[in-house]
Amino acid sequence: MTAAGENPATSARWRMLAILCGAVVLSFSTWFSANAIAPDVSRAWALSPAAAGWLTNGVQIGFVIGALLASLFNLPDLVRMNRLMAASAGLAAVSNAALLLEPGPVMATLCRLATGFALAGVYPPALKLVSTWFITGRGLAFAAVIGAITAGSSLPHLFRGAISGIHWQTVVVLSSLAALVSMLGFLRFASEGPYPFGKAVFDPRQIGKVLRDRNVALANLGYLGHMWELYAMWAWLLAYLSAAYEKNAVGTATDASLLTFAAVAAGVIGCFAGGVLSDRFGRTATTAGMMIASGTCALLIGFVFDGPQWLLVLVVIVWGITIIGDSAQFSAAVTELADRSYIGTALSLQMGMGFALTILMIWLMPHLAAWLGGWQWTFSILAVGPFIGATAMLVLRRRPEAERLANGRR
C-alpha cells in the first residue's frame, strides 16, 4: 500500500537516501574523534578521566545549543537544507582539525563544542530532508539516517584500531577530511523531495502544550530512557574494554579500539532492524523490546568483565545493536502523535532534553567508576533508563491515541 501520489516504481527516493546517508556517515566521523584518541591525548596532556570526558561532553553541549538555535530561528526553512548541511559539515571539519594545534584542555573543549554546534546543522535537517522523500516507510528512512550517524560515530575507532601504531593526529586528520568530503556531497547531490513536510518551527510559547500532551510526554519519557544509556555507553565503552583487557591480559589497546568500533558500528544493523520492525509491528512494541534488551546488556556487562572473551564480545555486540535500534522511532512517534501546529517544537524539545541528559551521564560515568574502584560495575546504572523508557512505551501502547502510530500498528 502506498500513499496517494507516491510512485512505488521510482528509485529516486532510495538513491537520495543512500547519498544523504553516505554524507552523514562522513560528517559524523568528527563526533567521537576526540573520544577515540582520549587515551593518547590524556597521556599527552596529562588529563584526568573526568577532564577527558569533557572532550565528548563539549560536543553534546554544542549540539544542544546548535539544535535549539537552529529551530528557534527556523534555519532549515530560511536556508536551503543542502547548503545548511554543507556549511555545517565544513565547520565541523575545521573545528575538529583545530585539535591538531594541541590547544590544551580548555580550548580543546571549546573546539569540541564548536564541532557539536556544527553537527546540529546536519542531523535535524537530514531527518527533515528525508521526510520530504518518504511518506510510507518513514520509520525505515529515519532509521537509515540514525544508522548513518551511528556508523559515522564509530569511524574514529576504526581509524585508530585498524592502523597499527597510528598517531592520534592521524585520526583527527582522517575524520576532518571525511567531513570535508561530506560537505561536497551535501552541496552537490542532496536535494529536497516532492513531499514537503512543512515548517517545523520551534516556538517556546508552545512548550507548555507539548508538555501537557500526555501521549507525546510518554514518547519523550521513552526517549529520555534511551538517551540515559546511549551516549554514556558510546563515550566510555573504550575505557571499559581497555580496563578489562589490561586486567585480564587478553588484548591490546588496538583490540579495544576495534571492538569498540564493532560495537558502535553494529548499531547500524539495529537501526535498520528497528525501522523494519517498527513499520511492521509498531513503534511501542519495537522501542520497548529494544530497551529491555539493551538494559539487560547493561546489567550483564559487569559479569563478563573477566571473561570468557567470547561472551564479553557477544554481550558488547548485542548491546551495540539494541542500544540504538529504537532511536529513530521516538522521532517518528512524535511526528505521528503531536498536533501538527506544534510538531516542530515537540521535536526540538525532545532532542534538546535528550542530549542535555547525555551531558549529565557522560560526566557522571568516570566519577562513578572512580567511586566503585574501576569500570567493571559502572555501566550497571545505565540499565535504569531503558527499563523506565520501556515502561513508558508500554503504557503508551495501551492508550487509544497509539493507533496513530505506524499506520495503526502502535
Side-chain angles (χ1 to χ4, degrees), residues 90-105:
L91 176 58
V94 172
S95 57
N96 186 66
L99 294 176
L100 296 172
L101 301 176
E102 301 189 31

Side-chain angles (χ1 to χ4, degrees), residues 6-374:
E6 191 170 12
N7 181 5
T10 182
S11 62
R13 65 176 190 165
W14 298 106
R15 183 168 59 249
M16 181 55 60
L17 181 62
I19 291 171
L20 184 65
C21 287
V24 168
V25 168
L26 296 175
S27 61
F28 267 77
S29 66
T30 59
W31 188 289
F32 278 128
S33 59
N35 177 262
I37 59 175
D40 309 296
V41 172
S42 294
R43 287 191 296 270
W45 298 352
L47 299 180
S48 67
W54 283 105
L55 295 179
T56 299
N57 249 343
V59 182
Q60 312 296 117
I61 295 170
F63 183 88
V64 172
I65 295 172
L68 291 178
L69 287 178
S71 297
L72 182 62
F73 293 103
N74 202 25
L75 288 183
D77 286 317
L78 297 177
V79 182
R80 288 182 60 179
M81 281 187 281
N82 69 320
R83 294 178 181 175
L84 174 61
M85 290 188 289
S88 299
L91 176 58
V94 172
S95 57
N96 186 66
L99 294 176
L100 296 172
L101 301 176
E102 301 189 31
V106 175
M107 289 305 299
T109 299
L110 291 177
C111 290
R112 301 307 293 155
L113 189 147
T115 301
F117 181 87
L119 291 175
V122 175
Y123 178 6
L127 289 177
K128 184 174 182 182
L129 190 146
V130 162
S131 72
T132 69
W133 286 93
F134 286 82
I135 296 177
T136 58
R138 184 173 289 171
L140 179 58
F142 275 25
V145 176
I146 303 301
I149 291 171
T150 303
S153 299
S154 72
L155 277 183
H157 294 291
L158 177 62
F159 295 154
R160 183 173 184 262
I163 306 174
S164 180
I166 189 173
H167 296 294
W168 67 263
Q169 291 91 341
T170 306
V171 175
V172 175
V173 169
L174 290 174
S175 56
S176 296
L177 288 176
L180 287 176
V181 173
S182 77
M183 177 184 72
L184 299 176
F186 287 132
L187 197 59
R188 176 67 179 84
F189 299 109
S191 62
E192 190 169 342
Y195 309 108
F197 193 63
K199 291 187 176 182
V201 181
F202 174 65
D203 183 352
R205 294 170 298 180
Q206 295 178 331
I207 290 177
K209 294 180 181 179
V210 176
L211 294 177
R212 289 191 296 271
D213 188 324
R214 182 169 175 80
N215 302 301
V216 173
L218 286 168
N220 284 341
L221 183 56
Y223 181 69
L224 289 175
H226 157 76
M227 293 296 276
W228 170 280
E229 178 189 29
L230 176 62
Y231 277 89
M233 182 273 208
W234 276 2
W236 295 110
L237 181 60
L238 178 60
Y240 167 90
L241 292 174
S242 298
Y245 282 6
E246 182 178 355
K247 178 184 176 184
N248 300 299
V250 294
T252 65
T254 295
D255 296 326
S257 289
L258 287 175
L259 183 52
T260 302
F261 160 74
V264 179
V268 176
I269 299 171
C271 289
F272 280 99
V276 172
L277 292 172
S278 184
D279 283 339
R280 184 170 182 179
F281 298 109
R283 308 266 186 255
T284 58
T286 299
T287 53
M290 288 283 187
M291 283 189 283
I292 290 170
S294 64
T296 300
C297 289
L299 292 177
L300 290 176
I301 196 73
F303 292 97
V304 298
F305 184 83
D306 294 320
Q309 178 69 5
W310 67 268
L311 188 56
L312 170 62
V313 172
L314 178 62
V315 172
V316 166
I317 296 299
V318 172
W319 199 10
I321 292 172
T322 56
I323 199 171
I324 187 65
D326 52 350
S327 188
Q329 307 316 314
F330 296 106
S331 297
V334 165
T335 67
E336 294 162 334
L337 291 170
D339 189 303
R340 293 188 68 84
S341 66
Y342 55 74
I343 198 168
T345 303
L347 285 169
S348 299
L349 186 63
Q350 183 191 71
M351 189 172 294
M353 291 189 302
F355 277 88
L357 181 59
T358 69
I359 297 169
L360 169 65
M361 295 309 297
I362 291 171
W363 170 83
L364 176 64
M365 295 301 284
H367 293 284
L368 186 59
W371 181 65
L372 293 174

Side-chain angles (χ1 to χ4, degrees), residues 214-215 218 394-403 410:
R214 182 169 175 80
N215 302 301
L218 286 168
L394 292 175
V395 170
L396 175 60
R397 183 176 180 81
R398 293 197 297 268
R399 293 178 63 81
E401 293 85 355
E403 288 287 345
R410 294 178 181 265

